[in-house]
Amino acid sequence: FWLNSMTMRDICVKGLVERNLPGYAIGGLAGGESKDSFWRVVAQCTAALPEDKPRYVMGVGYPLDIVVCSALGADMYDCVYPTRTARFGTALIPEGVLKLKHHAMAEDTRSIDPSCSCMVCKTYTRAYIHCLVTKDAMGSQLVSYHNLYYMIKLSRDLHTSIIEGSFPELYAIFYRRCFPKGMYLNGSAMPWMLLESISCHAVILQLALKIRSNYRCCGISTRPRER
Ligand SMILES: [Zn+2]
């Protein structure tokens, strides 16, 4: 089935490219398949689609997916995740996620993300939002505001880094913060210096696949359970 579906994708991409469309959507993903399959299909499609047309990955996604798919050549995304997870009291931060319902937040006087300059982070403490998220809709709204700000900033940073030619550095910073203990390839520690020189599609895909196995180690779920 897997080989057949990959072949069908090739046939489909070829037919769409021949029609010379103004942009292309990559769909049928983010529906519960493994990350390995997901990233491989995105890589397969973006490699075959024209670079001068927008390439839109439908229903994506989590910050990690957006960074990886951008590395693989995708341009556009859409997802309910930032606001849906906010309704469950979860904030997006550079290190992963912050569960504001957790009792540890009850006396935490820091902002959601001290490095964030959004209105929520400049105004409210984690403790205050912790009180709200368990009792009042305003809590979800504040966390949604921060999460959307986070995603917009991430998208802008990705865009700027591609234009300025500094994407590998941004990629390395993103992963260093998500995975402070480093990554492992074939059992050996992967030097962060090496990551900063990465620009090859295939290498990024291989790294992304390896990263997947480490992703849960820092308390980040690649597939949130809430629906
Ligand atoms: Zn913020």
Side-chain angles (χ1 to χ4, degrees):
F1 174 76
W2 174 243
L3 279 177
N4 282 343
S5 68
M6 295 295 273
T7 305
M8 291 299 286
R9 287 261 177 198
D10 278 336
I11 293 169
C12 181
V13 169
K14 186 169 180 292
L16 289 171
V17 171
E18 284 171 0
R19 294 180 186 210
N20 191 28
L21 297 167
Y24 296 90
I26 301 168
L29 293 168
E33 73 284 343
S34 71
K35 289 289 181 195
D36 297 31
S37 303
F38 167 48
W39 287 329
R40 284 183 201 282
V41 169
V42 172
Q44 178 192 6
C45 294
T46 51
L49 290 169
E51 286 188 5
D52 60 344
K53 301 284 179 68
R55 291 171 288 190
Y56 158 44
V57 187
M58 304 170 77
V60 172
Y62 308 127
L64 175 68
D65 288 337
I66 287 181
V67 174
V68 171
C69 290
S70 298
L72 296 174
D75 304 295
M76 298 164 64
Y77 312 93
D78 79 283
C79 191
V80 299
Y81 175 61
T83 48
R84 184 185 65 190
T85 204
R87 291 196 292 277
F88 288 86
T90 302
L92 307 177
I93 57 173
E95 294 78 16
V97 294
L98 189 69
K99 304 276 188 184
L100 287 153
K101 284 186 178 176
H102 196 281
H103 60 81
M105 300 291 118
E107 296 183 3
D108 195 328
T109 55
R110 290 172 293 174
S111 60
I112 291 175
D113 172 11
S115 71
C116 177
S117 49
C118 85
M119 175 276 292
V120 174
C121 289
K122 285 195 287 191
T123 312
Y124 302 103
T125 64
R126 295 178 182 182
Y128 179 73
I129 299 171
H130 168 79
C131 285
L132 286 179
V133 291
T134 53
K135 300 170 190 164
D136 192 298
M138 180 59 77
S140 301
Q141 291 168 16
L142 292 177
V143 183
S144 290
Y145 186 103
H146 163 80
N147 283 358
L148 290 172
Y149 188 97
Y150 177 88
M151 295 306 297
I152 291 169
K153 183 173 185 306
L154 177 63
S155 303
R156 283 196 179 130
D157 288 348
L158 287 168
H159 183 84
T160 303
S161 74
I162 290 166
I163 290 172
E164 294 178 349
S166 57
F167 183 86
E169 288 83 354
L170 183 138
Y171 192 84
I173 291 167
F174 179 85
Y175 285 114
R176 188 184 285 124
R177 295 189 79 171
C178 277
F179 310 103
K181 293 180 181 173
M183 299 187 319
Y184 291 84
L185 286 176
N186 302 322
S188 307
M190 178 87 177
W192 287 114
M193 288 288 286
L194 186 57
L195 267 178
E196 288 166 6
S197 65
I198 287 170
S199 60
C200 169
H201 247 202
V203 174
I204 286 175
L205 177 60
Q206 286 304 313
L207 279 171
L209 296 175
K210 292 290 180 187
I211 287 164
R212 178 181 165 266
S213 58
N214 291 323
Y215 200 40
R216 291 175 189 280
C217 298
C218 55
I220 308 166
S221 169
T222 52
R223 289 196 59 75
R225 288 181 185 161
E226 66 257 28
R227 292 286 173 188

